[in-house]
Amino acid sequence: MACSHVHCSHHQEHLINHCSRPAAGHASPLVDTSGTAPGKRCPTCQSKGTEVWVLPGRDCPYCGTYVA
């Protein structure tokens, strides 16, 4: 949210906040509402019985396996 603070030229004790807020009812393009997470389970950790989720194209933080 972008906010700006405007000071009154005559009285500096008056502070007016002008904040732009998204319109209600509109979907944000930054929020994935598909109901699924973008991660994949690490196959090495999964074979050991541990559930670790990794973003595709990254290494698993626990075992270092690359997850495509």
Side-chain angles (χ1 to χ4, degrees):
M1 170 179 10
C3 292
S4 63
H5 301 286
V6 179
H7 292 276
C8 178
S9 61
H10 299 291
H11 305 286
Q12 288 202 3
E13 66 271 10
H14 296 285
L15 180 66
I16 304 169
N17 288 327
H18 297 280
C19 297
S20 59
R21 299 185 191 281
H26 295 288
S28 171
L30 302 176
V31 176
D32 179 12
T33 58
S34 67
T36 60
K40 293 185 176 182
R41 288 185 73 174
C42 171
T44 304
C45 291
Q46 185 177 10
S47 68
K48 296 177 184 177
T50 306
E51 183 175 303
V52 178
W53 291 87
V54 183
L55 290 173
R58 305 255 178 145
D59 294 333
C60 174
Y62 295 98
C63 70
T65 301
Y66 177 79
V67 178

